[in-house]
Amino acid sequence: MINLHVFKYRNFAIGSVLIFIVFALLLALAILMPMYLKGSLLLTATTAGLAMIIGNIFNAVFAPIVGKTFDRVGPKLYLRFGF
């Protein structure tokens, strides 16, 4: 049902693996980290939310900056720092 011949192209295979890694990290940070904070460290939901808000503020501040400079700089610089 799925054509696996596209994985013979190196760039496609590397891109697919990197996307898989990014989504796994996103899952870990967005879902598993708050569950760990509440379940294992016995923090309240408010405290766990406040612990997670630092990354969200960082993302909100830098998202417009990266969006404006992405076309000028290109993706390679951001990919190096992102990974």
Side-chain angles (χ1 to χ4, degrees):
M1 293 179 56
I2 297 175
N3 187 4
L4 298 177
H5 291 294
V6 294
F7 285 101
K8 70 180 178 181
Y9 299 107
R10 183 175 184 262
N11 288 339
F12 181 80
I14 290 173
S16 298
V17 168
L18 291 177
I19 288 173
F20 177 78
I21 292 170
V22 166
F23 279 120
L25 291 172
L26 182 65
L27 172 73
L29 287 174
I31 297 172
L32 298 177
M33 181 63 96
M35 289 174 63
Y36 171 73
L37 291 173
K38 286 181 61 186
S40 296
L41 298 181
L42 301 175
L43 297 177
T44 64
T46 304
T47 309
L50 289 174
M52 299 294 293
I53 201 167
I54 296 168
N56 292 328
I57 291 173
F58 187 75
N59 189 19
V61 168
F62 282 102
I65 297 168
V66 170
K68 288 179 182 177
T69 60
F70 183 80
D71 290 333
R72 185 170 25 101
V73 177
K76 289 186 179 182
L77 177 69
Y78 291 120
L79 285 174
R80 289 181 187 140
F81 288 115
F83 274 100

Coordinates of all heavy atoms in Angstrom, one line a residue:
M1 N 0.8 -1.2 0.0 CA 0.0 0.0 0.0 C 0.9 1.3 0.0 O 0.4 2.3 -0.5 CB -0.9 0.0 1.2 CG -2.0 -1.1 1.2 SD -3.1 -1.2 2.5 CE -3.8 0.4 2.6
I2 N 2.0 1.2 0.6 CA 2.9 2.3 0.6 C 4.1 2.0 -0.3 O 4.8 0.9 -0.1 CB 3.4 2.7 2.0 CG1 2.2 3.1 2.9 CG2 4.4 3.8 2.0 CD1 2.5 3.3 4.3
N3 N 4.5 2.9 -1.2 CA 5.6 2.7 -2.0 C 6.9 3.0 -1.3 O 7.2 4.1 -1.0 CB 5.5 3.5 -3.3 CG 6.6 3.2 -4.3 OD1 7.4 2.3 -4.1 ND2 6.6 4.0 -5.4
L4 N 7.7 2.0 -0.9 CA 8.9 2.2 -0.2 C 10.1 2.4 -1.0 O 11.2 2.6 -0.5 CB 9.2 0.9 0.7 CG 8.1 0.7 1.8 CD1 8.4 -0.6 2.6 CD2 8.0 1.9 2.7
H5 N 10.0 2.5 -2.3 CA 11.1 2.7 -3.2 C 11.6 4.2 -3.1 O 12.8 4.4 -3.5 CB 10.7 2.5 -4.7 CG 10.4 1.0 -5.0 ND1 11.4 0.1 -4.9 CD2 9.3 0.4 -5.3 CE1 10.9 -1.1 -5.2 NE2 9.6 -0.9 -5.4
V6 N 10.8 5.1 -2.5 CA 11.3 6.4 -2.3 C 12.4 6.5 -1.3 O 13.2 7.5 -1.3 CB 10.1 7.4 -2.0 CG1 9.2 7.5 -3.1 CG2 9.5 6.9 -0.7
F7 N 12.5 5.5 -0.4 CA 13.6 5.6 0.6 C 15.0 5.2 0.0 O 16.0 5.3 0.7 CB 13.3 4.6 1.7 CG 12.2 5.1 2.6 CD1 10.9 4.7 2.5 CD2 12.5 6.1 3.6 CE1 9.9 5.1 3.3 CE2 11.5 6.6 4.4 CZ 10.2 6.1 4.3
K8 N 15.0 4.9 -1.3 CA 16.4 4.7 -1.9 C 17.1 6.0 -2.1 O 18.3 6.1 -2.3 CB 16.3 3.8 -3.1 CG 15.6 4.5 -4.3 CD 15.5 3.6 -5.5 CE 14.8 4.3 -6.7 NZ 14.7 3.5 -7.8
Y9 N 16.3 7.1 -2.1 CA 16.9 8.4 -2.3 C 17.4 8.9 -0.9 O 16.6 9.0 0.0 CB 15.8 9.4 -2.9 CG 15.3 9.0 -4.2 CD1 14.1 8.5 -4.4 CD2 16.2 9.1 -5.3 CE1 13.6 8.1 -5.6 CE2 15.7 8.7 -6.6 CZ 14.5 8.2 -6.7 OH 14.0 7.8 -8.0
R10 N 18.6 9.2 -0.9 CA 19.3 9.5 0.4 C 18.7 10.7 1.1 O 18.4 10.7 2.3 CB 20.8 9.7 0.2 CG 21.6 10.0 1.4 CD 23.1 10.1 1.0 NE 23.9 10.2 2.2 CZ 24.3 11.4 2.7 NH1 24.0 12.5 2.0 NH2 25.0 11.5 3.8
N11 N 18.4 11.8 0.4 CA 17.9 13.0 1.0 C 16.5 12.7 1.6 O 16.1 13.2 2.7 CB 17.8 14.1 0.0 CG 19.2 14.7 -0.3 OD1 20.1 14.5 0.5 ND2 19.3 15.3 -1.4
F12 N 15.7 11.9 0.9 CA 14.3 11.6 1.4 C 14.4 10.8 2.7 O 13.7 11.0 3.6 CB 13.5 10.9 0.3 CG 12.1 10.6 0.8 CD1 11.2 11.6 0.8 CD2 11.8 9.3 1.3 CE1 9.9 11.3 1.2 CE2 10.5 9.1 1.7 CZ 9.5 10.0 1.6
A13 N 15.3 9.8 2.7 CA 15.5 8.9 3.8 C 16.0 9.7 5.1 O 15.4 9.5 6.2 CB 16.4 7.8 3.5
I14 N 16.9 10.6 4.9 CA 17.5 11.4 6.0 C 16.4 12.3 6.5 O 16.2 12.5 7.7 CB 18.7 12.1 5.5 CG1 19.9 11.1 5.3 CG2 19.1 13.2 6.6 CD1 21.1 11.7 4.7
G15 N 15.7 13.0 5.6 CA 14.6 13.9 6.0 C 13.5 13.2 6.8 O 13.0 13.7 7.7
S16 N 13.2 12.0 6.3 CA 12.1 11.2 7.0 C 12.6 10.8 8.4 O 11.8 10.9 9.4 CB 11.8 10.0 6.2 OG 11.3 10.3 5.0
V17 N 13.8 10.4 8.6 CA 14.4 10.1 9.9 C 14.4 11.3 10.8 O 14.0 11.2 12.0 CB 15.8 9.4 9.8 CG1 16.4 9.3 11.1 CG2 15.6 8.1 9.1
L18 N 14.8 12.4 10.3 CA 14.9 13.7 11.1 C 13.5 14.1 11.5 O 13.3 14.6 12.6 CB 15.6 14.8 10.3 CG 17.1 14.6 10.1 CD1 17.7 15.7 9.3 CD2 17.8 14.4 11.4
I19 N 12.5 14.0 10.6 CA 11.2 14.4 11.0 C 10.6 13.4 12.1 O 10.0 13.9 13.0 CB 10.3 14.4 9.7 CG1 10.6 15.6 8.9 CG2 8.8 14.4 10.1 CD1 9.9 15.6 7.5
F20 N 11.0 12.2 12.0 CA 10.6 11.2 13.0 C 11.2 11.6 14.4 O 10.5 11.6 15.4 CB 11.0 9.8 12.6 CG 10.7 8.8 13.7 CD1 9.4 8.3 13.8 CD2 11.7 8.3 14.5 CE1 9.1 7.3 14.8 CE2 11.4 7.4 15.5 CZ 10.1 6.9 15.6
I21 N 12.4 12.0 14.4 CA 13.1 12.4 15.6 C 12.5 13.6 16.2 O 12.2 13.7 17.4 CB 14.6 12.6 15.4 CG1 15.3 11.2 15.1 CG2 15.3 13.2 16.6 CD1 16.7 11.3 14.6
V22 N 12.2 14.6 15.3 CA 11.6 15.9 15.8 C 10.2 15.6 16.4 O 9.9 16.1 17.5 CB 11.5 16.9 14.6 CG1 10.6 18.1 15.0 CG2 12.9 17.4 14.3
F23 N 9.4 14.8 15.8 CA 8.1 14.5 16.3 C 8.1 13.7 17.6 O 7.3 13.9 18.5 CB 7.2 13.8 15.3 CG 6.6 14.8 14.3 CD1 6.8 14.7 13.0 CD2 5.7 15.8 14.8 CE1 6.3 15.6 12.1 CE2 5.2 16.7 13.9 CZ 5.4 16.6 12.6
A24 N 9.1 12.8 17.7 CA 9.3 12.1 19.0 C 9.7 13.0 20.1 O 9.2 12.9 21.3 CB 10.4 11.0 18.8
L25 N 10.6 14.0 19.8 CA 11.0 15.0 20.9 C 9.8 15.9 21.2 O 9.6 16.2 22.4 CB 12.1 15.8 20.4 CG 13.5 15.1 20.3 CD1 14.5 16.0 19.6 CD2 13.9 14.7 21.6
L26 N 9.0 16.3 20.2 CA 7.8 17.1 20.5 C 6.8 16.3 21.4 O 6.3 16.9 22.3 CB 7.2 17.5 19.1 CG 6.0 18.4 19.2 CD1 6.3 19.7 19.8 CD2 5.3 18.5 17.9
L27 N 6.6 15.1 21.1 CA 5.8 14.3 21.9 C 6.3 14.2 23.3 O 5.5 14.4 24.3 CB 5.6 12.9 21.3 CG 4.9 11.8 22.2 CD1 3.4 12.1 22.2 CD2 5.2 10.4 21.8
A28 N 7.6 14.0 23.5 CA 8.2 13.9 24.8 C 8.0 15.2 25.6 O 7.7 15.2 26.8 CB 9.6 13.5 24.7
L29 N 8.3 16.3 24.9 CA 8.2 17.6 25.7 C 6.8 18.0 25.9 O 6.5 18.6 27.0 CB 8.9 18.7 24.9 CG 10.5 18.5 24.9 CD1 11.1 19.5 24.0 CD2 11.0 18.7 26.3
A30 N 5.9 17.8 25.0 CA 4.5 18.3 25.1 C 3.6 17.4 26.0 O 2.7 17.9 26.7 CB 3.9 18.5 23.8
I31 N 3.9 16.1 26.0 CA 2.9 15.2 26.7 C 3.6 14.5 27.9 O 3.1 14.5 29.0 CB 2.4 14.2 25.7 CG1 1.5 14.9 24.7 CG2 1.5 13.1 26.5 CD1 1.1 14.0 23.5
L32 N 4.8 13.9 27.6 CA 5.4 13.1 28.7 C 6.0 13.9 29.8 O 6.0 13.5 30.9 CB 6.4 12.2 28.0 CG 5.9 11.2 27.0 CD1 7.0 10.4 26.4 CD2 4.8 10.3 27.7
M33 N 6.6 15.1 29.5 CA 7.2 15.9 30.5 C 6.2 16.4 31.5 O 6.5 16.3 32.7 CB 8.0 17.1 29.9 CG 8.7 17.9 30.9 SD 9.9 17.1 31.8 CE 11.3 17.5 30.8
P34 N 5.1 16.9 31.2 CA 4.1 17.3 32.2 C 3.6 16.1 33.0 O 3.4 16.2 34.2 CB 2.9 17.9 31.4 CG 3.5 18.4 30.2 CD 4.6 17.4 29.9
M35 N 3.4 14.9 32.3 CA 3.0 13.8 33.1 C 4.1 13.3 34.1 O 3.8 12.9 35.2 CB 2.7 12.6 32.1 CG 1.5 12.8 31.3 SD 1.2 11.6 30.0 CE 1.0 10.1 31.0
Y36 N 5.4 13.5 33.7 CA 6.5 13.1 34.6 C 6.5 14.1 35.8 O 6.7 13.7 36.9 CB 7.8 13.2 33.9 CG 9.0 13.1 34.8 CD1 9.3 11.9 35.4 CD2 9.8 14.2 35.0 CE1 10.4 11.8 36.2 CE2 10.9 14.1 35.8 CZ 11.2 12.9 36.4 OH 12.3 12.8 37.3
L37 N 6.3 15.4 35.5 CA 6.3 16.4 36.6 C 5.2 16.2 37.6 O 5.4 16.3 38.8 CB 6.2 17.8 36.0 CG 7.4 18.3 35.2 CD1 7.1 19.6 34.5 CD2 8.7 18.4 36.1
K38 N 4.0 15.8 37.1 CA 2.9 15.6 38.0 C 2.9 14.2 38.6 O 2.6 14.1 39.8 CB 1.6 15.7 37.2 CG 1.2 17.2 36.8 CD 0.0 17.2 36.1 CE -1.1 16.7 37.0 NZ -2.4 16.6 36.4
G39 N 3.3 13.2 37.9 CA 3.3 11.8 38.4 C 4.4 11.5 39.3 O 4.3 11.0 40.4
S40 N 5.6 11.7 38.8 CA 6.8 11.2 39.5 C 7.3 12.2 40.5 O 7.7 11.9 41.6 CB 7.9 10.9 38.5 OG 7.6 9.8 37.7
L41 N 7.3 13.5 40.2 CA 7.8 14.5 41.1 C 6.7 15.1 42.0 O 7.0 15.9 42.8 CB 8.4 15.7 40.3 CG 9.7 15.3 39.4 CD1 10.2 16.5 38.7 CD2 10.7 14.7 40.3
L42 N 5.5 14.6 41.8 CA 4.3 15.0 42.6 C 4.1 16.5 42.7 O 3.8 17.1 43.7 CB 4.5 14.4 44.0 CG 4.6 12.9 44.1 CD1 4.8 12.5 45.5 CD2 3.4 12.2 43.5
L43 N 4.3 17.2 41.5 CA 4.0 18.6 41.4 C 2.5 18.8 41.1 O 1.9 17.9 40.5 CB 4.8 19.3 40.4 CG 6.3 19.3 40.6 CD1 7.0 19.9 39.4 CD2 6.7 20.0 41.8
T44 N 2.0 19.9 41.5 CA 0.6 20.3 41.1 C 0.6 20.6 39.6 O 1.6 20.9 39.0 CB 0.1 21.4 42.0 OG1 0.8 22.6 41.6 CG2 0.1 21.1 43.4
A45 N -0.6 20.6 39.1 CA -0.8 21.0 37.7 C -0.3 22.4 37.4 O 0.3 22.7 36.4 CB -2.3 20.8 37.3
T46 N -0.6 23.3 38.4 CA -0.2 24.7 38.2 C 1.4 24.8 38.2 O 1.9 25.5 37.3 CB -0.7 25.6 39.3 OG1 -2.1 25.4 39.4 CG2 -0.3 27.0 39.1
T47 N 2.0 24.1 39.1 CA 3.5 24.1 39.1 C 4.1 23.5 37.9 O 5.1 24.0 37.4 CB 4.0 23.4 40.4 OG1 3.3 23.9 41.5 CG2 5.5 23.6 40.6
A48 N 3.5 22.4 37.4 CA 4.0 21.8 36.2 C 3.8 22.7 35.0 O 4.7 22.8 34.2 CB 3.3 20.4 36.0
G49 N 2.7 23.4 35.0 CA 2.5 24.3 33.9 C 3.4 25.5 33.9 O 3.9 26.0 32.9
L50 N 3.7 26.0 35.1 CA 4.7 27.1 35.2 C 6.1 26.6 34.9 O 6.9 27.4 34.4 CB 4.7 27.7 36.7 CG 3.4 28.5 37.0 CD1 3.4 28.8 38.5 CD2 3.3 29.7 36.1
A51 N 6.4 25.4 35.2 CA 7.7 24.9 34.8 C 7.9 24.8 33.3 O 8.9 25.0 32.7 CB 8.0 23.5 35.4
M52 N 6.8 24.5 32.6 CA 6.8 24.4 31.1 C 6.6 25.7 30.4 O 6.9 25.8 29.2 CB 5.6 23.4 30.7 CG 5.7 22.0 31.2 SD 7.1 21.1 30.6 CE 6.7 21.0 28.9
I53 N 6.2 26.7 31.1 CA 5.9 28.0 30.4 C 7.2 28.7 29.9 O 7.2 29.5 29.0 CB 5.1 28.9 31.3 CG1 4.4 30.0 30.4 CG2 5.9 29.6 32.3 CD1 3.3 30.7 31.2
I54 N 8.3 28.4 30.5 CA 9.6 29.1 30.1 C 9.9 28.8 28.6 O 10.3 29.7 27.9 CB 10.7 28.6 31.0 CG1 10.5 29.1 32.5 CG2 12.1 29.2 30.5 CD1 11.4 28.5 33.5
G55 N 9.8 27.5 28.3 CA 10.0 27.1 26.9 C 9.0 27.8 25.9 O 9.3 28.1 24.8
N56 N 7.8 27.9 26.4 CA 6.7 28.5 25.5 C 7.0 30.0 25.3 O 6.8 30.5 24.2 CB 5.4 28.2 26.1 CG 5.0 26.8 26.1 OD1 5.4 26.0 25.2 ND2 4.2 26.3 27.1
I57 N 7.4 30.6 26.3 CA 7.7 32.1 26.2 C 8.9 32.2 25.3 O 8.9 33.1 24.4 CB 8.0 32.7 27.6 CG1 6.7 32.8 28.4 CG2 8.7 34.1 27.5 CD1 6.9 33.2 29.8
F58 N 9.9 31.4 25.4 CA 11.1 31.4 24.5 C 10.7 31.2 23.1 O 11.1 31.9 22.2 CB 12.1 30.3 25.0 CG 13.4 30.4 24.3 CD1 14.3 31.3 24.5 CD2 13.7 29.4 23.3 CE1 15.6 31.3 23.9 CE2 14.9 29.4 22.6 CZ 15.8 30.4 22.9
N59 N 9.8 30.3 22.9 CA 9.3 30.0 21.5 C 8.5 31.2 21.0 O 8.6 31.5 19.8 CB 8.4 28.7 21.5 CG 8.1 28.3 20.1 OD1 8.7 28.7 19.2 ND2 7.0 27.5 20.1
A60 N 7.7 31.8 21.8 CA 6.8 32.9 21.3 C 7.7 34.1 21.0 O 7.4 34.9 20.1 CB 5.8 33.3 22.4
V61 N 8.8 34.3 21.7 CA 9.7 35.5 21.4 C 10.5 35.3 20.1 O 10.6 36.2 19.3 CB 10.6 35.7 22.6 CG1 11.7 36.7 22.3 CG2 9.8 36.2 23.8
F62 N 11.0 34.1 19.9 CA 11.9 33.8 18.8 C 11.2 33.4 17.5 O 11.8 33.5 16.5 CB 13.0 32.8 19.2 CG 14.0 33.4 20.0 CD1 14.1 33.2 21.4 CD2 15.0 34.2 19.4 CE1 15.1 33.8 22.1 CE2 16.0 34.8 20.2 CZ 16.0 34.6 21.5
A63 N 9.9 33.0 17.6 CA 9.2 32.5 16.4 C 9.1 33.6 15.3 O 9.4 33.4 14.1 CB 7.9 31.9 16.7
P64 N 8.7 34.8 15.7 CA 8.7 35.9 14.6 C 10.0 36.3 14.1 O 10.2 36.6 12.9 CB 8.0 37.1 15.4 CG 7.4 36.6 16.6 CD 8.2 35.3 16.9
I65 N 11.0 36.3 14.9 CA 12.4 36.6 14.5 C 12.9 35.6 13.5 O 13.4 35.9 12.4 CB 13.3 36.7 15.7 CG1 12.9 37.8 16.6 CG2 14.8 36.9 15.3 CD1 13.6 37.9 18.0
V66 N 12.7 34.3 13.8 CA 13.2 33.2 12.9 C 12.4 33.3 11.6 O 12.9 33.1 10.6 CB 13.1 31.9 13.6 CG1 13.3 30.8 12.7 CG2 14.1 31.8 14.8
G67 N 11.1 33.5 11.8 CA 10.2 33.6 10.6 C 10.6 34.6 9.6 O 10.6 34.5 8.4
K68 N 11.0 35.8 10.1 CA 11.4 36.9 9.2 C 12.8 36.7 8.6 O 13.1 37.1 7.5 CB 11.4 38.2 10.0 CG 10.0 38.7 10.4 CD 10.1 40.0 11.1 CE 8.7 40.4 11.5 NZ 8.7 41.6 12.4
T69 N 13.7 36.0 9.3 CA 15.1 35.9 8.8 C 15.3 34.5 8.0 O 16.3 34.3 7.4 CB 16.1 35.9 9.9 OG1 15.8 34.9 10.8 CG2 16.0 37.3 10.6
F70 N 14.3 33.7 8.0 CA 14.4 32.3 7.4 C 14.7 32.4 5.9 O 15.6 31.7 5.4 CB 13.2 31.5 7.7 CG 13.3 30.1 7.2 CD1 14.0 29.1 7.9 CD2 12.7 29.7 6.0 CE1 14.1 27.8 7.4 CE2 12.8 28.5 5.5 CZ 13.5 27.5 6.2
D71 N 14.0 33.3 5.2 CA 14.2 33.4 3.8 C 15.5 34.0 3.4 O 16.1 33.6 2.4 CB 13.1 34.3 3.2 CG 11.7 33.6 3.2 OD1 11.7 32.4 3.2 OD2 10.7 34.4 3.3
R72 N 16.0 34.9 4.3 CA 17.3 35.5 4.0 C 18.5 34.6 4.3 O 19.5 34.5 3.6 CB 17.5 36.8 4.8 CG 18.7 37.6 4.5 CD 18.7 39.0 5.1 NE 17.8 39.1 6.3 CZ 18.3 39.1 7.5 NH1 19.6 39.0 7.7 NH2 17.5 39.3 8.5
V73 N 18.4 33.9 5.5 CA 19.5 33.1 6.0 C 19.5 31.7 5.4 O 20.6 31.1 5.1 CB 19.5 33.0 7.5 CG1 20.6 32.2 8.1 CG2 19.6 34.4 8.1
G74 N 18.4 31.1 5.3 CA 18.2 29.7 4.8 C 18.1 28.7 5.9 O 18.3 29.1 7.1
P75 N 17.7 27.5 5.6 CA 17.4 26.6 6.7 C 18.6 25.9 7.3 O 18.5 25.4 8.4 CB 16.5 25.5 6.0 CG 17.0 25.6 4.5 CD 17.3 27.0 4.3
K76 N 19.7 25.9 6.7 CA 20.8 25.1 7.2 C 21.3 25.7 8.5 O 21.7 24.9 9.4 CB 22.0 25.1 6.2 CG 21.7 24.3 5.0 CD 22.9 24.1 4.1 CE 22.6 23.2 2.9 NZ 23.7 23.1 2.0
L77 N 21.4 27.0 8.7 CA 21.8 27.6 10.0 C 20.8 27.2 11.1 O 21.3 26.8 12.2 CB 21.9 29.1 9.8 CG 22.2 29.8 11.1 CD1 23.7 29.6 11.5 CD2 22.0 31.3 10.9
Y78 N 19.5 27.3 10.8 CA 18.6 27.0 11.9 C 18.5 25.5 12.2 O 18.3 25.1 13.3 CB 17.2 27.5 11.5 CG 17.1 29.0 11.5 CD1 16.8 29.7 10.3 CD2 17.3 29.7 12.6 CE1 16.7 31.0 10.3 CE2 17.3 31.1 12.6 CZ 17.0 31.7 11.4 OH 16.9 33.1 11.4
L79 N 18.8 24.7 11.2 CA 18.8 23.2 11.4 C 20.0 22.8 12.3 O 19.9 21.9 13.2 CB 18.8 22.4 10.1 CG 17.5 22.4 9.4 CD1 17.7 21.7 8.0 CD2 16.5 21.7 10.1
R80 N 21.1 23.5 12.1 CA 22.3 23.2 13.0 C 22.0 23.5 14.4 O 22.3 22.7 15.3 CB 23.5 23.9 12.4 CG 24.0 23.4 11.1 CD 25.2 24.1 10.7 NE 25.5 23.6 9.3 CZ 26.0 24.4 8.4 NH1 26.1 25.7 8.6 NH2 26.2 23.9 7.2
F81 N 21.4 24.6 14.7 CA 21.1 25.0 16.0 C 19.9 24.3 16.6 O 19.9 24.0 17.8 CB 20.9 26.5 16.2 CG 22.2 27.3 16.0 CD1 22.4 28.2 14.9 CD2 23.2 27.2 17.0 CE1 23.5 28.9 14.8 CE2 24.4 27.9 16.8 CZ 24.5 28.8 15.8
G82 N 19.0 23.9 15.8 CA 17.8 23.2 16.2 C 18.1 21.8 16.7 O 17.5 21.3 17.6
F83 N 19.0 21.1 16.0 CA 19.3 19.8 16.4 C 20.4 19.7 17.3 O 20.6 18.8 18.0 CB 19.6 18.9 15.1 CG 18.4 18.3 14.5 CD1 17.8 18.9 13.4 CD2 17.8 17.2 15.0 CE1 16.7 18.4 12.8 CE2 16.7 16.7 14.5 CZ 16.1 17.3 13.3

